[in-house]
Amino acid sequence: MERRNFLRGAVIGTSVAAFGGTLMRGAAYAAPAQNGPSPYGSLGAADANGIQLPSGFTSRVIARSGQTVSGTSYSWHNAPDGGACFADGSGWIYVSNSEINPGGGASAVKFNSSGTITSAYRILSNTRQNCAGGATPWNTWLSCEEVSLGYVYETNPWGGTSTRRDAMGKFKHEAAAADPVRQVIYLTEDESNGCFYRFIPTTWGNLSSGTLQVLVAGSGTSGSFTWQNVPDPDGSPTATRSQVSGAKHFNGGEGCHYAGDTVWFTTKGDNRVWQLNLLNSTYELAYDDSLVNPGPAPLTGVDNITGSSSGDLFVAEDGGNMEICIITPNDVVAVFLRITGQSSSEITGPAFSPNGQRLYFSSQRGTSGSSSGGITYEVTGPFRS
């Protein structure tokens, strides 16, 4: 595959939440990534929380499903899933979905400037199987229902109102990523023959109306793409993924991340990370576990994805070895951390604090293997910048 370099520009705006908690600058990518040594070094022995980390990093438990969040009176939700961080003055907020049905919804934990938890609370209720989502540049959280004919809900990380955004389509939503340059929201679909979409709001910053489009491309793993309008975003009686001839289908769309004229999204069904190069409307593979040579591939069960200020992509595993792996700007894929003793779980919701010094994520089912056993963590250490 031809190796091409793409620049990721500096973040525009005042809040890193606009890009899902990343401050990517000037990192060049070629594809697909290959095995190599981690820039953070090898993993140490498991700590008291059962997490293997590189030297200099530490972990702490932020919340456990069904238990009161430390320092608050709020009981954390079951099956924590997708998440994001939002700046809150000198502190920040981490929001987390609940992938249960019925009930669903999302919660938030607020931190002060020193990282101390100051409050926790519900921000969305009475929805269905809220899996992933995405942050907007205007500091709201898009919580996505991973059910047939599911909706996107726009929620306030500080609490208060939440609004169903029907115009963004009814399908098995997974993740969302905002592109403030083109003023669109990208959306993944968790179906074995799902599609990749973008929503163009009538007015940027207002998701109440707009146009839903689907990516149209050939059957290969690289090439050019275009967008076509979805005639009926309501998805009934014909599913959105079946309405446009030539729409490209992907095997189980999962996480989605935008930075600097590039959008990445993952497909769990074939353990791939796809890269859309928006300046020239081409796509290619950023990672494919079957193309790692020599093997074995370190990253399997490819799921949620986020980015750091260094340009590293952080990809969580659903299954695999319960790892978060990184893909570096030099196209090296390596293990960053591993959770031990939780083989019946999956890692969800990776997101960086606004200053890039803390990484949040969850083990959805923890040691019990049940949705009531979820654990949300924070990892602190010398992240690259």
Side-chain angles (χ1 to χ4, degrees):
M1 182 179 297
E2 179 184 0
R3 294 176 64 84
R4 299 180 293 238
N5 291 334
F6 300 90
L7 293 179
R8 299 181 188 179
V11 161
I12 302 170
T14 59
S15 172
V16 297
F19 298 93
T22 181
L23 292 169
M24 291 186 168
R25 296 183 181 87
Y29 267 78
Q34 296 294 318
N35 257 331
S38 168
Y40 292 104
S42 59
L43 301 184
D47 64 12
N49 296 319
I51 301 180
Q52 293 181 255
L53 292 162
S55 177
F57 288 85
T58 58
S59 75
R60 68 166 171 161
V61 173
I62 296 301
R64 295 180 183 271
S65 295
Q67 298 185 24
T68 301
V69 178
S70 178
T72 78
S73 60
Y74 183 72
S75 182
W76 196 236
H77 57 263
N78 288 348
D81 206 291
C85 281
F86 297 83
D88 177 49
S90 59
W92 59 92
I93 297 169
Y94 177 67
V95 299
S96 170
N97 280 342
S98 176
E99 195 187 13
I100 59 173
N101 187 13
S107 302
V109 181
K110 186 178 287 191
F111 302 84
N112 65 18
S113 59
S114 64
T116 300
I117 296 172
T118 59
S119 63
Y121 45 91
R122 175 69 65 161
I123 62 171
L124 178 65
S125 300
N126 301 319
T127 53
R128 303 170 297 165
Q129 204 163 317
N130 297 75
C131 197
T136 69
W138 48 94
N139 292 321
T140 59
W141 168 243
L142 302 180
S143 185
C144 298
E145 289 185 317
E146 188 195 13
V147 295
S148 180
L149 299 179
Y151 292 99
V152 175
Y153 289 81
E154 186 171 17
T155 67
N156 183 351
W158 287 264
T161 60
S162 58
T163 305
R164 197 176 77 187
R165 296 304 188 187
D166 295 16
M168 300 184 77
K170 290 175 65 178
F171 54 87
K172 200 172 184 181
H173 284 277
E174 181 70 31
D179 176 352
V181 177
R182 290 152 200 86
Q183 298 189 342
V184 302
I185 307 290
Y186 302 105
L187 300 161
T188 58
E189 181 178 24
D190 192 1
E191 299 274 9
S192 60
N193 62 339
C195 289
F196 188 77
Y197 304 87
R198 73 175 184 179
F199 178 69
I200 308 172
T202 302
T203 302
W204 185 236
N206 182 347
L207 303 179
S208 62
S209 66
T211 303
L212 183 68
Q213 297 184 324
V214 66
L215 185 141
V216 173
S219 60
T221 56
S222 65
S224 60
F225 67 85
T226 58
W227 301 98
Q228 282 190 223
N229 291 353
V230 175
D232 180 16
D234 191 55
S236 179
T238 303
T240 55
R241 63 185 180 279
S242 302
Q243 294 181 22
V244 175
S245 176
K248 186 169 180 63
H249 295 280
F250 298 93
N251 190 353
E254 293 286 341
C256 190
H257 177 71
Y258 169 87
D261 297 317
T262 305
V263 61
W264 294 265
F265 64 96
T266 62
T267 49
K268 188 167 60 179
D270 48 18
N271 288 317
R272 287 172 169 173
V273 180
W274 298 83
Q275 176 177 316
L276 300 188
N277 310 300
L278 301 168
L279 290 178
N280 60 8
S281 295
T282 61
Y283 70 96
E284 62 185 305
L285 291 174
Y287 175 79
D288 183 330
D289 72 335
S290 68
L291 297 179
V292 172
N293 185 29
L299 173 59
T300 58
V302 177
D303 205 300
N304 289 175
I305 186 171
T306 192
S308 72
S309 60
S310 64
D312 295 320
L313 298 174
F314 284 69
V315 187
E317 289 186 335
D318 177 356
N321 294 320
M322 282 290 289
E323 295 169 343
I324 294 179
C325 294
I326 62 171
I327 301 175
T328 73
N330 295 324
D331 300 295
V332 170
V333 58
V335 178
F336 172 72
L337 66 79
R338 179 183 300 122
I339 301 177
T340 62
Q342 300 186 30
S343 59
S344 295
S345 187
E346 62 184 274
I347 298 180
T348 60
F352 281 91
S353 61
N355 62 12
Q357 296 175 0
R358 300 168 192 254
L359 174 64
Y360 296 92
F361 59 93
S362 296
S363 171
Q364 190 179 85
R365 297 176 292 278
T367 57
S368 71
S370 167
S371 61
S372 61
I375 309 171
T376 299
Y377 299 98
E378 174 195 85
V379 163
T380 305
F383 287 103
R384 304 201 298 168
S385 62

